[in-house]
Amino acid sequence: MADWKKTAFKAGLDALYFSGAHHMLAPFARGTGVIFTLHHVREASRRPFSPNRILEVTPDFLDAVIERVRTHDVDIVSIEEAYRRLTTPGEHNRFVVFTFDDGYRDNLEIAHPILKKHEVPFTVYVTSGYVGGGGELWWRALEEVIARQDHIGAVIEGRTRYFDTRTLAEKEAVFREIYWWLRSIDEDVLRAFVRDLAERYRVDMDDMARCALMTWDEIRRLAADPLVTIGAHTANHYALAKLDRDRALSEMRAGAAAIAAELGVMPEHFAYPYGDPASAGSRDFALAAEAGFKTAVTTRKGMLFPEHEEHLMALPRVSLNGDYQAIRYLDLFLSGTPFAVFNGFRRLDVA
Ligand SMILES: [Zn+2]
């Protein structure tokens, strides 16, 4: 989300919360369930420049979130049980699903003990090609280069550009500019650009990936817990909508097949990399169905409604992220009202 949108969304959240309007709106907005998106769970970075902090929450926050969810009249269920409730007629209790994207080691080392203590089922969507080294966490590499340098040079749209990256404000502005440009361009050009940048400024992307992401042995340890579902997240974490049809489908299939080969179980649930409308659209929803998944989750914001039974390849989620680490936001998220307002009271966003 662009910064101004984030600020507006946050101001809207506070207005909803402090006005009490969410109590009035909740019966229309809260739906049958919600799927939460998380990435890292770890202590907050002390570095002021940490533009990827939206991808992490602290262990204490995760613990507090679970305790708070338990005070609401909802069940915490696996994605498989969510699928069952969405597709089985009848009255079901409202539910919450916890999901983690990418396959970070802190999911095993930090999040798992907390979730286990509370007996919370959860899903980890693994990017198969990132397991055990070779992962291209390009958004982290870009952050690292800008964090370490006072100036950087790069060829952007055929022009050599020089950026001052000395102050915090400069670093943030340059990160924003390059990050959003990269998100808009061809995936292969993106990866080549960041690999070149990392190499020139001596950021070891392989080492970064090896430190951050689980190995197959670690994923097997996690998967051995009956609370855990391993889902697929493609082979190489490309924005599928930017790829041609065959390549997008083979990314989905290869990711699932690699997990099946390593774990002996074919993953049935899928998360689109990035998951925003520019990264996963209606063509990709059809491809996920063709690949045989039971559910596929986006990062479009919203609650689940009975109507989602017809749109299992485009399930919305709600991000629990570093920018919203306050329990009052959780109460709002469970009420569904921010998304009702954000989506103009439309329950489906599947185009
Ligand atoms: Zn991801």
Side-chain angles (χ1 to χ4, degrees):
M1 212 175 353
D3 276 22
W4 68 267
K5 277 195 197 157
K6 217 175 344 189
T7 308
F9 186 66
K10 244 173 140 163
L13 287 181
D14 286 326
L16 268 174
Y17 184 80
F18 292 111
S19 70
H22 63 292
H23 293 301
M24 272 161 33
L25 292 168
F28 308 101
R30 59 190 202 156
T32 53
V34 59
I35 306 173
F36 287 135
T37 313
L38 296 105
H39 290 83
H40 291 284
V41 179
R42 60 187 182 195
E43 293 304 335
S45 155
R46 281 174 217 286
R47 190 164 77 188
F49 175 65
S50 48
N52 288 305
R53 70 178 159 259
I54 58 160
L55 300 177
E56 57 189 69
V57 299
T58 66
D60 286 349
F61 183 71
L62 177 62
D63 200 60
V65 162
I66 297 166
E67 287 186 354
R68 189 66 173 206
V69 170
R70 293 282 194 212
T71 69
H72 285 255
D73 179 27
V74 294
D75 302 331
I76 304 181
V77 304
S78 66
I79 189 73
E80 180 66 27
E81 174 61 15
Y83 168 77
R84 196 191 67 80
R85 292 188 190 191
L86 283 168
T87 55
T88 312
E91 281 293 300
H92 304 291
N93 215 11
R94 290 182 73 219
F95 58 88
V96 169
V97 183
F98 283 86
T99 67
F100 296 79
D101 286 12
D102 302 340
Y104 295 111
R105 180 167 291 123
D106 55 53
N107 294 179
L108 170 70
E109 293 182 344
I110 300 176
H112 184 222
I114 297 169
L115 293 150
K116 196 163 180 59
K117 178 181 82 179
H118 293 284
E119 293 184 55
V120 168
F122 63 102
T123 300
V124 178
Y125 294 108
V126 168
T127 306
S128 68
Y130 279 18
V131 180
E136 296 193 301
L137 300 172
W138 63 265
W139 53 96
R140 293 263 314 272
L142 178 64
E143 171 179 341
E144 220 33 60
V145 167
I146 294 173
R148 293 184 199 174
Q149 302 299 322
D150 286 342
H151 316 276
I152 62 170
V155 178
I156 291 182
E157 303 289 335
R159 266 176 58 215
T160 303
R161 303 261 311 265
Y162 294 96
F163 298 93
D164 286 327
T165 50
R166 199 174 48 79
T167 67
L168 176 61
E170 285 168 350
K171 287 181 194 298
E172 284 178 342
V174 172
F175 180 88
R176 232 179 355 251
E177 179 177 347
I178 298 180
Y179 176 90
W180 287 109
W181 169 66
L182 289 169
R183 286 288 302 271
S184 75
I185 65 171
D186 176 83
E187 286 289 297
D188 296 323
V189 179
L190 182 174
R191 298 298 175 96
F193 176 92
V194 179
R195 267 197 306 272
D196 167 68
L197 195 72
E199 209 172 289
R200 284 190 291 116
Y201 294 104
R202 296 194 167 68
V203 167
D204 187 338
M205 286 181 75
D206 285 343
D207 186 55
M208 181 179 269
R210 262 194 303 277
C211 290
L213 294 152
M214 285 185 282
T215 63
W216 285 116
D217 275 342
E218 288 169 321
I219 294 169
R220 272 188 284 272
R221 260 167 60 204
L222 198 57
D225 185 338
L227 289 172
V228 177
T229 304
I230 301 297
H233 197 41
T234 75
N236 293 295
H237 209 280
Y238 294 125
L240 297 171
K242 289 199 226 160
L243 307 182
D244 68 43
R245 186 188 181 286
D246 290 351
R247 194 170 167 202
L249 182 58
S250 83
E251 271 289 316
M252 289 183 191
R253 286 193 163 140
I259 292 169
E262 291 288 343
L263 305 187
V265 187
M266 185 57 105
E268 298 182 302
H269 302 278
F270 176 76
Y272 302 95
Y274 313 102
D276 60 307
S279 307
S282 51
R283 183 205 67 178
D284 309 297
F285 303 153
L287 293 180
E290 195 174 329
F293 297 112
K294 284 180 169 172
T295 68
V297 294
T298 67
T299 55
R300 299 178 189 218
K301 292 177 198 299
M303 312 299 278
L304 300 172
F305 291 97
E307 293 91 324
H308 283 107
E309 181 179 1
E310 302 299 320
H311 301 280
L312 294 167
M313 297 303 121
L315 299 180
R317 290 191 289 176
V318 168
S319 177
L320 290 182
N321 72 47
D323 271 348
Y324 303 103
Q325 292 193 70
I327 286 294
R328 67 171 185 276
Y329 293 139
L330 182 78
D331 290 344
L332 276 179
F333 290 164
L334 288 171
S335 78
T337 51
F339 316 108
V341 174
F342 186 81
N343 294 327
F345 289 89
R346 274 179 314 132
R347 288 177 160 200
L348 291 174
D349 174 15
V350 294

